Amino acid sequence: MSVNLRSVFAFAKEYHQKKESQKDIQYGTAGFRSHADNLDYVMYRMGVLAALRSRAKASQAIGVMITASHNPEHDNGVKLIDPLGEMLEQRWEKLATDLVNVPDSELEAQVAKICEDEKIDNNEQAKVFVGMDTRYHSPQLSRAVVNGILALKGTVTEFGIVTTPMLHYFVTCTNTQNAYGVPTEEGYMSKLIAAFKALRGETGEQGNYRNQLYYDGANGVGSLKMLGFIKKLNGALNVKVFNSNGKINFKCGADFVKTNHRVPEGLPEDALASVGRCCSVDGDADRVVYYFTDADGVFHLLDGDRIATLLAGYLKDLIEQCGVQLEMGLVQTAYANGASTDYIVNQMKIPVACTRTGVKHLHHKALEYDIGVYFEANGHGTIIYSDKAKRAIRAASEDETRPEAQRKTAARLLQFIDLTNETVGDAISDMLLVETVLHAKGWNLTDWLASYTDLPNVLEKVYLADRNVITVTDADRVVVEPEGLQDAIDAIVSKFPKGRSFVRPSGTEDIVRVYAEADTRENAVQLSFEVANLVFDRAGGIGSRPTKMEF
C-alpha cells in the first residue's frame, strides 16, 4: 500500500478548506469543541491524525468520537481514543493542535513532519473506529472524519450513534482481542446486564430501596440507548426515561442539574410527588448525577463525590469480607466538596489524591492503586482494577480452603468488576453500579444523603476575551497569572467560615469557572459573587458583569 501525502492536501483544498478567518483552536481536556459550523476542516484533519496514530501504535484500532458532550445543541466536537480506551496521549494533543491550525498550503508538509518525527510507516494498516452523538450536524461531520481516514488509505468502522463510553469499550475490546468483551453494541449491553442481574438477584426491592428510577436522558444518545437497555433488563430495574426527544442539554441533563442545583425541565410530576429517585446523564452519556426533592420540596443533589464515596465504601467492605489484601485509593479534583474529602479520609479511612481537572489526569493517578476509584464532582468517573487485583480476587473465589462466605464475596466482586466500564466514565455503567449498591444496602436517596453533610457550594462562569491569560498550578487550585490575583482571592476567602474558592480556565471555551464553598449557602453565593467579579476585572471579562445567584 502506498500513500500519497499530496492527496491529503488536495482533498482538503477541494472539500474541507480551512478559511483564513478561522481562529486557532486548542485540543483541550475533551478534544476540540466549537460551533458546529467551524468544525468541518477540523474533523477532516482529525481523521488524518487518527490514521497516523493507528500506524504509530502498530495498527491498533483508534477511536474518533464526534460529540460536544454537555455543550449546547449548536456546538460539536471531536476527540481521539487511544488503544486501551484512554484519552489521547498528551504529547499527541500538541500534534493535533498543530495539525488543525496550519493553513491548507502547509497541511501536506505538517503531515509529512508527523510521519518523520514519529517514524510512521504509511505502508502499515490503519484501523479507525468512528462514533457520533445525536446532534443533527454529527453525520455531516462524521463524513469529514471518514474522508480524512480514507485520504491516508485507512480502514474505517462506523458505529453510527453511540455513547462516548461505548466507543471507548469497542476500541478496548478490539485491541485486547475480545478479552475485555465483544466490540459491538449487543456485546456491551449483554456484559453489563448479565453482571447487573447476577448482582441484583431475584429481589427487586429491599429495605428502603424501591425498584423505580426516573432517568433524564438530556435529549441525547443516553436516552436512546437506555430505551434499549430497559427491554433487556426485563424489569430487573424499572426505569422511566424522560427528556428523550427535545433539544440536547437544554434545561436538562447532568451539567444543568449540577450547575443550577435544581431538577431538569420535563421531570414527571409523580417523581416529585413520590420523592422519587432521579438521575440525569449528559449529552453523550459519560457522566451521571442523582437527586431528589424531599417531602418539603427541597432539592438534594448526589453528585460525583457522593457516587465515589458510595462505591468506594461498598468495595472496601467486600474486599475486607473476602480477605484479600489490596490497596484502594480515591482520586478527586479541586471541585470535590471539602466535606466529602474529610469523610473519605477520616471516616472511611481511604487514601485520597487530588489531581488537575480532566478525566485523563484522574485516570492516570488511579492506575497507581490496586483498585482506583475516581470521579469528578460533575459525575464523570469510574473504577480501575489492576491485573494484580483481578488475579487475587479470582483466586479467592476459587480457593476451596477459604470459607464459603469469602468465596461468594469474591465472586460478587468479580461481577462488580464486569459491571464497571474501566475504560472511561460511563453514565449507564455507573448508574447500574449505584443501583446495585443502594439495593444491597437497602437504601433510598435520603439514606445515602445522610452519610455526610456537604458544604454549600456554587459553580459560576466568567466570560473572558482570552481564557489563556489565567494560568494555574497545584491541581488547578492556585492562580499563577495574572500576578496578584491569587492573593486577592485568598483575601476574599478569609472572610467566610469554612471558605474555599479557586478559579480555573475552561479547556473548551473562553470562560473561567469559579468554584466557591462555605458554611452556608448564602456565604457560598456571596463568595462566588465576589471572586467572579474580581476575575472579571483582573482577567479581561467581557459581556455582562457576573450577578449574584439566588440562594
Side-chain angles (χ1 to χ4, degrees):
M1 177 182 63
S2 176
V3 175
N4 180 4
L5 294 185
R6 184 146 189 81
S7 68
V8 174
F9 162 68
F11 207 84
K13 184 178 180 182
E14 182 72 23
Y15 298 106
H16 304 288
Q17 292 184 10
K18 181 180 186 292
K19 300 172 184 175
E20 291 184 8
S21 60
Q22 288 176 308
K23 296 192 302 183
D24 284 0
I25 59 175
Q26 186 175 346
Y27 194 105
T29 54
F32 294 112
R33 280 193 201 161
S34 183
H35 194 288
D37 292 346
N38 301 326
L39 287 172
D40 181 82
Y41 77 96
V42 174
M43 295 292 177
Y44 175 76
R45 295 174 186 210
M46 287 292 278
V48 169
L49 190 73
L52 295 175
R53 181 65 175 164
S54 178
R55 289 186 175 120
K57 300 299 286 185
S59 298
Q60 293 185 92
I62 297 295
V64 180
M65 185 66 198
I66 299 157
T67 181
S69 188
H70 57 279
N71 281 36
E73 186 178 50
H74 57 69
D75 287 347
N76 216 318
V78 58
K79 56 185 173 183
L80 265 59
I81 300 169
D82 261 355
L84 292 181
E86 323 99 309
M87 301 295 186
L88 180 64
E89 181 185 338
Q90 196 161 355
R91 190 171 57 82
W92 273 66
E93 290 182 8
K94 185 178 186 308
L95 299 185
T97 299
D98 292 344
L99 183 64
V100 162
N101 290 326
V102 296
D104 286 343
S105 59
E106 297 177 20
L107 180 58
E108 180 186 349
Q110 189 67 28
V111 174
K113 183 177 187 301
I114 293 172
C115 292
E116 182 180 355
D117 292 349
E118 301 299 322
K119 298 178 173 57
I120 294 170
D121 182 357
N122 275 309
N123 292 312
E124 296 296 322
Q125 182 185 14
K127 185 188 301 180
V128 183
F129 291 175
V130 180
M132 61 183 176
D133 69 16
T134 54
R135 294 164 200 267
Y136 66 87
H137 29 69
S138 289
Q140 178 182 345
L141 296 176
S142 176
R143 180 50 45 194
V145 170
V146 170
N147 285 345
I149 299 163
L150 295 178
L152 280 183
K153 295 189 177 180
T155 59
V156 185
T157 302
E158 294 185 73
F159 285 93
I161 295 173
V162 291
T163 69
T164 294
M166 288 171 70
L167 192 65
H168 282 257
Y169 170 86
F170 300 152
V171 169
T172 305
C173 291
T174 298
N175 291 324
T176 58
Q177 291 70 52
N178 293 9
Y180 191 67
V182 180
T184 63
E185 189 166 331
E186 177 67 27
Y188 168 84
M189 293 174 68
S190 296
K191 180 182 180 182
L192 294 186
I193 289 170
F196 179 74
K197 287 183 175 179
L199 287 163
R200 186 88 158 185
E202 298 298 319
T203 307
E205 301 195 346
Q206 192 156 276
N208 291 331
Y209 180 88
R210 297 292 173 263
N211 187 18
Q212 178 68 70
L213 174 67
Y214 296 86
Y215 176 99
D216 165 22
N219 295 317
V221 62
S223 59
L224 186 67
K225 300 309 177 186
M226 182 48 59
L227 293 171
F229 262 88
I230 290 170
K231 294 178 182 177
K232 293 181 177 294
L233 283 165
N234 197 28
L237 178 63
N238 292 325
V239 183
K240 189 168 185 176
V241 176
F242 63 101
N243 290 332
S244 60
N245 58 5
K247 185 181 291 188
I248 192 169
N249 298 319
F250 183 66
K251 296 185 177 180
C252 62
D255 188 62
F256 174 86
V257 172
K258 169 67 177 172
T259 302
N260 294 282
H261 282 257
R262 64 184 180 92
V263 300
E265 290 196 357
L267 183 66
E269 287 291 329
D270 55 342
L272 296 171
S274 61
V275 193
R277 189 170 71 257
C278 309
C279 73
S280 288
V281 305
D282 64 335
D284 67 334
D286 64 1
R287 48 167 95 168
V288 61
V289 296
Y290 274 72
Y291 51 92
F292 70 102
T293 54
D294 62 26
D296 296 322
V298 177
F299 173 82
H300 298 279
L301 176 68
L302 298 111
D303 60 10
D305 297 339
R306 293 278 180 177
I307 294 172
T309 57
L310 180 76
L311 301 184
Y314 183 71
L315 278 169
K316 185 183 180 187
D317 289 345
L318 291 186
I319 291 166
E320 290 174 350
Q321 289 166 21
C322 74
V324 178
Q325 298 299 312
L326 296 171
E327 181 188 9
M328 183 166 68
L330 202 151
V331 187
Q332 297 182 316
T333 72
Y335 288 109
N337 193 280
S340 74
T341 309
D342 181 72
Y343 175 71
I344 296 160
V345 172
N346 296 314
Q347 299 297 318
M348 300 176 69
K349 307 297 183 184
I350 296 175
V352 173
C354 184
T355 73
R356 292 176 57 196
T357 300
V359 174
K360 62 188 176 187
H361 303 298
L362 287 95
H363 190 97
H364 182 75
K365 187 66 178 179
L367 290 169
E368 297 180 10
Y369 301 99
D370 295 329
I371 297 179
V373 182
Y374 73 82
F375 273 85
E376 294 184 300
N378 62 26
H380 195 173
T382 189
I383 307 164
I384 304 174
Y385 310 87
S386 68
D387 289 339
K388 170 191 170 184
K390 291 174 182 176
R391 287 194 300 268
I393 294 166
R394 187 168 299 281
S397 73
E398 298 170 350
D399 184 356
E400 295 188 0
T401 65
R402 290 175 176 269
E404 183 180 4
Q406 284 192 357
R407 297 200 306 273
K408 284 186 174 181
T409 301
R412 188 170 180 83
L413 259 173
L414 292 175
Q415 295 287 0
F416 204 79
I417 292 171
D418 272 349
L419 188 55
T420 308
N421 186 347
E422 297 180 67
T423 67
V424 73
D426 182 338
I428 293 175
S429 166
D430 291 340
M431 182 201 82
L432 294 174
L433 289 170
V434 168
E435 294 296 320
T436 295
V437 177
L438 292 178
H439 175 267
K441 290 178 172 290
W443 279 6
N444 59 21
L445 296 194
T446 303
D447 298 323
W448 182 10
L449 188 69
S451 54
Y452 66 87
T453 302
D454 275 321
L455 288 169
N457 60 91
V458 175
L459 183 60
E460 193 166 347
K461 299 176 182 178
V462 180
Y463 289 85
L464 302 182
D466 178 9
R467 68 180 183 273
N468 293 312
V469 301
I470 290 185
T471 58
V472 293
T473 188
D474 189 21
D476 298 334
R477 291 174 290 190
V478 176
V479 175
V480 178
E481 293 179 345
E483 188 176 349
L485 179 56
Q486 185 60 51
D487 290 340
I489 292 171
D490 292 343
I492 295 173
V493 168
S494 67
K495 301 187 299 183
F496 296 89
K498 297 186 178 179
R500 182 169 74 94
S501 182
F502 66 91
V503 301
R504 170 186 165 267
S506 168
T508 57
E509 50 187 325
D510 276 325
I511 62 171
V512 167
R513 303 186 194 279
V514 175
Y515 178 86
E517 65 183 33
D519 59 333
T520 65
R521 175 73 177 170
E522 180 179 2
N523 279 342
V525 167
Q526 182 64 29
L527 174 56
S528 73
F529 171 71
E530 293 187 24
V531 173
N533 276 276
L534 176 70
V535 171
F536 187 89
D537 291 334
R538 297 276 191 96
I542 58 174
S544 301
R545 176 174 288 278
T547 58
K548 188 183 294 188
M549 299 175 70
E550 296 181 5
F551 57 84

